């Protein structure tokens, strides 16, 4: 495991030396993105280090290639086609030559080095003083941003100052289409199984400072235009060249000591997933010419303004632990960089920082990431829900493939809506994805009361997906509604009967769907009739949903007084943790799945997650007993796990454990605690840090549409502050020793409870203070 520690600064990560050993990891941590474009943190000049210490990737959220999944032995209904995010042309390349010597940090000597990723400006800045093997010295200052205002645009300002060099300085701006994806090897979490190029060139264009490659995917049929516009401060025209799929513009300038040159480079990516292929070139030219006319400084100011607005709404402040404060801001910033904001894309497990999990979207979005955006920037949360509505036709198709004559079944792993999980016991069998999506819609409605969204999209999703429970479930001889042969969140336990989490979430889902049907029939009868007609909804279905929910089988062990993870979990032998070597974790990389499935061992929170999401259904004693039992058999091999255990630990009074789990989550990527961050960040765990503050230490819950808080203060902290959007208001919660201050920052009024006591904030009384409960 690579431990990596930067100076503890709340608003940036700063690197003060160039290190080959940490380079692969640094590329991830210093990555920039805007929810569409992702640029890994490789220097503009490229990298000449040893194999296995770099992946110079550029990614586009939602842009993918597809390929048939080949099974040695196939079966009906298995996923047929995989979709995987592509490493697209590298448009950030800038070579620097001093005479016949190329600027390369692995040659010559580095006199000084600093690289800073600033979370408030969104700019990656690097300043290097370098001396070539022949003694020629320069200072290079590069600044890079990926625009939050225009999803198709990034920009680089590359400034070179000669310190002692007299002669011809050459700058080469490159657009390189000869890239390929990382191969997964033996780790299914890493990348794709594809080797070789995935894009073939169909055209190119160069004129003045403009270069463009037109490429097409082999199977998914998408056209991509990658383009750059480069402007040298000296005002000289470049020399143009092309070598296969590599386009270059070269300037050669005579310089003297002390002289500076700046090359501003603007890059764009447009694909036929967003626009007609015939429009891509002119859109690229228009975007780049506008950016060049505005200049790098205008783009930088716009970036800073966007982030100022974001932090005004989302900033979480922690006083007393500088490492956690840095981790919190780092995680929030990377979440913003990774999330799709166009209603067509989502947020993948690795964001746009690496190829892990092939760029697929999971339930991570709805259960871990969605709450952060819902309560910090709700307009992004709505876009994530719009993505799921766009995927509803594919979900209906998948339901038919799985022999459901009606309803919709969302895919476990996907980019464009098709099921891409080749291993169905840990993929398709996780039917809880339907309830997870319904839960996010329920959260959204409770926080926003956005009836327009409910009528336009949400009601149809919730009711159509609820039908699947009636299709998969059945009543046993005791009259209980049972859901058999599914996999819950714990992927170390597969294909079980009556997984507690699945059944409990299905119960919530069925009741929610029935409530929506009942509400719309009364409040918007014409709209309900339209939705019901589109679904061919039988008039008796909502009543059947209610019946199934009321008779749901929720396993409980009377002897242990805990909620059983499923019908058979407690009858299995407990995994021999004492004699399992440390190097054998994660278990999934060292044991056949069947070996793991035969044991009581959890990869991640399962029942414990239900304790959080359905909090009001459990007593504090229930939660404590369940926590104690399942903590002892959970490996936390999944990065999704620690944050949930930390939240429940805080609620049941295990403050030291709560803090330990929070620490594991908050700096998971900065400290590379799972040893695989070089392949991309862990977006769900990043969001789990926010959940740990708001839901954990802040004690925040929403029950029946009502907002509740029961804050505690970790003994390691002096105070902490977080903010919540709720029902048109923006609330600030400030917790310090012995007291909590609630402040209404936006909105006319907000009512909630503090430890059961009603607090009402208004414009005339925007602030109230309460003591700890």
């Amino acid at each position: 495991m690579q431990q990596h520690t930067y100076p503890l600064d709340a608003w940036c990560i700063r690197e003060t030396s160039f290190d080959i050993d940490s380079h692969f990891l640094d590329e991830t941590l210093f990555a920039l993105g805007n929810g569409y474009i992702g640029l890994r943190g490789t220097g503009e000049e490229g990298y000449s280090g040893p194999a296995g210490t770099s992946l110079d990737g550029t990614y586009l959220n939602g842009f993918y290639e597809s390929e048939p999944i080949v099974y040695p032995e196939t079966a009906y209904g298995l996923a047929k086609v995989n979709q995987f995010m592509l490493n697209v042309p590298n448009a950030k390349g800038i070579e620097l030559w001093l005479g016949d010597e190329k600027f390369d940090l692995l040659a010559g000597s580095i006199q000084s080095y600093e690289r800073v990723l600033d979370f408030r400006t969104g700019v990656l800045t690097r300043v290097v003083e370098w001396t070539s093997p022949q003694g020629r010295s320069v200072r290079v200052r590069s600044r890079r941003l990926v625009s939050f205002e225009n999803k198709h645009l990034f920009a680089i300002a590359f400034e070179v100052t000669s310190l002692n060099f007299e002669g011809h300085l050459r700058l080469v701006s490159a657009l390189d289409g000869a890239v390929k994806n990382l191969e997964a090897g033996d780790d299914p979490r890493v990348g794709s199984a594809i080797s070789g190029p995935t894009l073939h060139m169909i055209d190119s264009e160069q004129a003045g400072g403009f270069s463009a490659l037109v490429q097409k995917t082999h199977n998914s049929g998408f056209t991509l235009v990658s383009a750059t516009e480069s402007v040298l401060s000296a005002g000289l025209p470049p020399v143009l060249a092309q070598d296969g799929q590599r386009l270059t513009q070269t300037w050669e300038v005579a310089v003297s000591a002390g002289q500076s040159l700046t090359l501003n480079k603007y890059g764009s990516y447009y694909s036929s997933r967003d626009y007609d292929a015939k429009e891509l070139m002119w859109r690229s030219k228009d975007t780049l010419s506008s950016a060049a006319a505005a200049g790098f400084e205008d783009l930088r100011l716009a970036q800073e303004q966007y982030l100022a607005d974001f932090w005004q709404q989302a900033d979480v402040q922690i006083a007393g632990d500088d490492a956690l404060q840095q981790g919190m801001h780092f995680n929030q910033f990377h979440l913003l960089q990774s999330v799709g904001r166009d209603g067509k894309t989502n947020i993948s497990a690795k964001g746009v920082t690496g190829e892990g999990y092939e760029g697929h979207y999971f339930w991570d979005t709805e259960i871990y990431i969605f709450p952060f955006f819902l309560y910090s920037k709700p307009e992004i949360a709505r876009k994530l829900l719009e993505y799921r509505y766009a995927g509803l036709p594919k979900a209906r198709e998948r339901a038919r493939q799985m022999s459901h004559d009606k309803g919709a079944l969302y895919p476990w792993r996907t980019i464009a809506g098709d099921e891409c999980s080749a291993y169905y016991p840990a993929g398709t069998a996780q039917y809880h994805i339907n309830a997870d999506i319904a839960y996010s819609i329920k959260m959204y409605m409770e926080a926003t009361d956005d009836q327009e969204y409910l009528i336009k999209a949400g009601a149809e999703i919730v009711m159509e997906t609820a039908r699947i429970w009636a299709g998969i479930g059945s009543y046993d001889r005791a009259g209980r509604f049972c859901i058999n042969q599914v996999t819950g969140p714990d992927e170390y336990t597969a294909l079980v009967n009556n997984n507690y989490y699945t059944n409990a979430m299905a119960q919530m889902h069925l009741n929610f769907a029935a409530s929506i049907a009942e509400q719309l029939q009364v409040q918007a009868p014409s709209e309900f009739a339209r939705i019901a007609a589109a679904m061919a909804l039988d008039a008796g279905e909502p009543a059947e949903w209610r019946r199934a929910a009321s008779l749901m089988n929720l396993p409980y062990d009377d002897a242990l007084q805990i909620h059983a993870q499923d019908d058979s979990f407690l009858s299995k032998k407990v995994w021999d943790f004492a004699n399992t070597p440390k190097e054998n974790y994660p278990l999934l990389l060292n044991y056949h799945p069947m070996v793991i499935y035969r044991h009581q061992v959890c990869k991640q929170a399962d029942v414990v997650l239900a304790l959080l999401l359905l909090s009001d259904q459990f007593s504090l004693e229930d939660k404590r007993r369940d926590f104690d039992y399942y903590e002892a058999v959970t490996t936390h091999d999944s990065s999704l796990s620690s944050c949930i255990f930390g939240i429940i630990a805080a609620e049941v009074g295990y403050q030291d454990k709560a803090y330990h789990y929070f620490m594991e989550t908050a700096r998971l990527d900065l400290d590379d605690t799972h040893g695989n961050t070089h392949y991309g960040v862990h977006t769900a765990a990043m969001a789990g840090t926010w959940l740990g503050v708001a839901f954990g230490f802040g004690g925040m819950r929403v029950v029946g549409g009502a907002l509740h808080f029961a804050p505690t203060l970790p003994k390691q902290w002096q105070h902490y502050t977080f903010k919540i959007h709720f029902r048109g208001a923006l609330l600030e919660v400030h917790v310090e020793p012995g007291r909590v201050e609630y402040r209404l920052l936006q909105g006319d009024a907000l009512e909630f409870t503090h430890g059961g006591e009603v607090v009402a904030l208004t414009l005339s009384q925007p602030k109230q203070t309460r003591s700890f409960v």
Side-chain angles (χ1 to χ4, degrees):
M1 180 175 65
Q2 172 73 52
Q3 288 292 324
H4 198 89
T5 303
Y6 301 105
L8 297 181
D9 188 307
W11 287 105
C12 72
I13 52 172
R14 174 180 286 103
E15 182 182 51
T16 55
S17 63
F18 179 75
D19 185 356
I20 293 174
D21 291 338
S22 67
H23 184 268
F24 205 162
L25 174 61
D26 294 333
E27 286 181 326
T28 294
L29 301 181
F30 285 93
L32 286 181
N34 63 0
Y36 179 61
I37 299 173
L39 306 179
R40 281 178 63 84
T42 316
E44 289 81 9
E45 70 280 2
Y47 178 74
S48 63
T53 61
S54 174
L55 174 63
D56 192 359
T58 302
Y59 309 107
L60 304 178
N61 189 4
F63 183 76
Y64 66 91
E65 176 60 305
S66 58
E67 183 156 293
I69 300 172
V70 179
Y71 297 94
E73 295 184 36
T74 190
Y76 181 83
L78 296 182
K80 299 295 186 185
V81 176
N82 188 28
Q83 300 161 349
F84 55 95
M85 184 174 69
L86 291 176
N87 188 2
V88 299
N90 180 2
K92 65 180 182 290
I94 300 174
E95 294 179 6
L96 167 63
W97 293 79
L98 309 179
D100 59 352
E101 294 183 288
K102 183 181 179 182
F103 173 63
D104 182 345
L105 296 184
L106 280 84
S109 60
I110 299 171
Q111 310 305 317
S112 66
Y113 178 98
E114 183 180 68
R115 179 165 59 162
V116 178
L117 176 56
D118 192 312
F119 312 141
R120 287 175 294 193
T121 65
V123 176
L124 177 64
T125 301
R126 182 180 58 149
V127 181
V128 182
E129 291 191 2
W130 177 81
T131 300
S132 75
Q134 296 182 31
R136 299 159 174 164
S137 296
V138 291
R139 179 188 302 114
V140 174
R141 178 179 184 241
S142 67
R143 292 176 295 161
R144 181 189 304 176
L145 64 86
V146 182
S147 173
F148 284 117
E149 298 288 358
N150 184 337
K151 79 171 194 176
H152 300 283
L153 178 68
F154 76 87
I156 297 170
F158 191 88
E159 180 186 19
V160 183
T161 301
S162 171
L163 299 180
N164 70 358
F165 175 58
E166 305 272 351
H168 287 276
L169 181 150
R170 187 161 80 252
L171 285 165
V172 182
S173 176
L175 174 59
D176 189 359
V179 297
K180 65 178 184 178
N181 273 54
L182 180 70
E183 295 181 55
D186 293 329
D187 190 339
R189 304 168 298 172
V190 170
S192 72
I194 303 302
S195 60
T198 51
L199 289 162
H200 65 275
M201 190 171 77
I202 57 178
D203 200 4
S204 64
E205 183 175 330
Q206 283 188 289
F210 178 78
S211 293
L213 286 171
V214 184
Q215 296 169 303
K216 197 166 185 177
T217 59
H218 291 275
N219 299 320
S220 57
F222 296 125
T223 301
L224 173 67
V225 172
S226 311
T228 62
E229 180 76 35
S230 301
V231 182
L232 186 68
S233 57
L236 301 173
V239 175
L240 308 180
Q242 180 170 354
D243 180 10
Q245 296 191 62
R246 189 171 191 266
L247 309 180
T248 58
Q249 299 146 332
T250 301
W251 293 264
E252 191 161 322
V253 183
V255 298
S256 54
Q259 186 175 345
S260 296
L261 288 172
T262 299
L263 178 64
N264 284 344
K265 184 171 187 177
Y266 309 93
S268 69
Y269 295 92
Y270 279 89
S271 88
S272 57
R273 276 215 77 189
D274 291 321
Y275 300 101
D276 187 279
K278 295 177 182 177
E279 300 179 17
L280 303 180
M281 185 63 77
W282 74 255
R283 287 185 180 276
S284 301
K285 291 179 178 178
D286 182 64
T287 291
L288 294 176
S289 63
S290 296
F296 184 88
E297 286 304 312
D298 278 7
L299 295 175
R300 183 189 65 78
L301 290 171
Q303 192 84 338
E304 190 169 340
Q305 184 175 349
Y306 182 94
L307 284 166
D309 175 69
F310 170 72
W311 289 117
Q312 190 276 329
Q313 299 175 69
D315 185 19
V316 175
Q317 301 169 28
I318 299 172
D321 194 319
D322 294 340
L324 289 182
Q325 180 66 89
Q326 182 183 47
M328 175 62 68
H329 285 157
F330 173 82
N331 292 343
Q332 291 180 281
F333 179 70
H334 262 284
L335 285 167
L336 183 64
Q337 291 199 124
S338 297
V339 68
R341 295 178 286 136
D342 55 10
K344 303 174 184 177
T345 53
N346 202 275
I347 180 169
S348 73
K350 299 292 186 181
V352 284
T353 66
E355 297 171 30
Y357 292 110
E358 302 177 285
H360 290 161
Y361 314 137
F362 293 77
W363 72 306
D364 305 23
T365 299
E366 280 72 28
I367 297 304
Y368 292 83
I369 300 168
F370 183 83
F372 166 69
F373 286 108
L374 173 61
Y375 298 118
S376 300
K377 206 163 174 59
E379 63 270 26
I380 293 180
R382 172 157 175 168
K383 290 298 181 182
L384 292 172
L385 295 181
E386 289 176 7
Y387 165 82
R388 288 301 190 185
Y389 186 67
L392 190 56
K394 290 284 189 182
R396 288 188 174 107
E397 287 181 23
R398 184 58 176 159
R400 304 302 167 270
Q401 293 166 5
M402 294 300 295
S403 302
H404 300 293
D405 59 3
K406 56 187 175 182
L409 177 60
Y410 276 96
W412 184 244
R413 297 178 63 153
T414 192
I415 294 178
D418 300 284
E419 178 61 80
C420 296
S421 177
Y423 185 64
Y424 77 87
T428 299
Q430 297 204 51
Y431 269 67
H432 66 84
I433 181 69
N434 270 16
D436 302 329
I437 292 169
Y439 187 87
S440 70
I441 294 172
K442 184 172 183 285
M443 275 194 295
Y444 179 76
M445 292 306 302
E446 289 173 334
T448 68
D449 194 30
D450 185 350
Q451 294 296 320
E452 186 266 343
Y453 167 76
L454 183 68
I455 290 170
K456 181 179 178 181
E460 188 175 354
I461 293 175
V462 172
M463 293 192 293
E464 193 74 297
T465 52
R467 288 172 138 176
I468 294 298
W469 301 119
I472 191 177
S474 60
Y475 295 91
D476 67 9
R477 286 179 294 175
R480 299 172 302 180
F481 189 77
C482 299
I483 301 174
N484 296 322
Q485 288 300 288
V486 296
T487 299
D490 169 30
E491 294 177 358
Y492 283 174
T493 310
L495 299 178
V496 298
N497 296 340
N498 298 308
N499 168 254
Y500 186 91
Y501 175 91
T502 301
N503 286 22
M505 290 290 282
Q507 182 183 55
M508 172 280 304
H509 186 180
L510 289 162
N511 279 325
F512 183 42
S515 295
I516 287 175
E518 294 157 5
Q519 172 194 333
L520 292 184
Q521 285 182 78
V522 173
Q523 299 178 4
S526 62
E527 294 289 357
F528 178 77
R530 174 187 59 79
I531 297 168
M535 293 174 53
L537 182 70
D538 186 282
E541 285 187 70
E544 181 54 38
W545 298 339
R546 287 284 193 202
R547 177 170 177 259
S550 69
L551 296 171
M552 186 68 66
N553 185 358
L554 299 172
Y556 187 81
D557 187 275
D558 290 318
L560 295 173
Q561 292 186 292
I562 65 168
H563 297 91
Q565 185 166 301
D566 58 68
D567 283 353
S568 62
F569 186 80
L570 297 178
S571 66
K572 298 174 182 178
K573 63 181 177 180
V574 175
W575 186 272
D576 185 3
F577 297 101
N579 292 306
T580 301
K582 184 177 181 180
E583 60 270 19
N584 281 17
Y585 294 93
L587 301 182
L588 73 126
L589 298 183
N590 295 284
Y591 300 92
H592 190 282
M594 290 298 295
V595 175
I596 299 173
Y597 296 163
R598 293 188 186 109
H599 291 83
Q600 275 191 62
V601 57
C602 298
K603 181 182 179 185
Q604 62 206 84
D606 193 299
V607 170
V608 176
L609 180 57
L611 303 180
L612 170 62
L613 302 185
L614 306 170
S615 181
D616 60 310
Q617 298 181 19
F618 307 93
S619 70
L620 197 62
E621 291 73 22
D622 284 333
K623 293 177 181 178
R624 188 175 291 114
R625 287 193 298 267
D626 284 348
F627 179 94
D628 289 344
Y629 189 89
Y630 289 104
E631 184 189 33
V633 295
T634 301
T635 64
H636 307 292
D637 283 348
S638 168
S639 62
L640 306 183
S641 190
S642 291
C643 61
I644 304 303
F645 272 82
I647 292 168
I648 301 303
E651 184 177 7
V652 301
Y654 297 159
Q655 293 304 319
D656 289 343
K657 287 185 176 183
Y659 200 77
H660 167 75
Y661 283 123
F662 185 77
M663 284 284 290
E664 284 191 348
T665 304
R667 291 186 62 90
L668 187 149
D669 284 313
L670 278 177
D671 293 336
D672 193 22
T673 58
H674 278 234
N676 61 1
T677 295
H678 49 290
Y679 294 125
V681 299
H682 298 75
T683 54
M686 288 178 153
T689 310
W690 184 90
L691 295 175
V693 172
F695 289 12
F697 302 124
M700 176 181 158
R701 300 289 186 274
V702 179
V703 179
L707 184 61
H708 304 267
F709 296 98
T712 59
L713 180 67
K715 62 186 178 184
Q716 295 89 343
W717 296 357
Q718 298 162 16
H719 58 80
Y720 65 98
T721 305
F722 64 97
K723 301 172 184 177
I724 297 294
H725 278 279
F726 198 81
R727 295 295 177 110
L730 180 61
L731 174 69
E732 181 181 85
V733 181
H734 176 78
V735 184
E736 59 184 53
R739 63 194 292 271
V740 184
E741 181 180 283
Y742 297 101
R743 184 187 295 268
L744 187 65
L745 300 180
Q746 295 175 13
D748 296 332
L750 182 65
E751 187 171 288
F752 52 92
T753 68
H754 166 87
E757 177 187 356
V758 174
V759 179
L761 301 180
T762 63
L763 290 174
S764 61
Q765 190 180 16
K767 182 176 75 171
Q768 290 192 36
T769 301
R770 293 290 188 274
S771 300
F772 279 180
V773 179

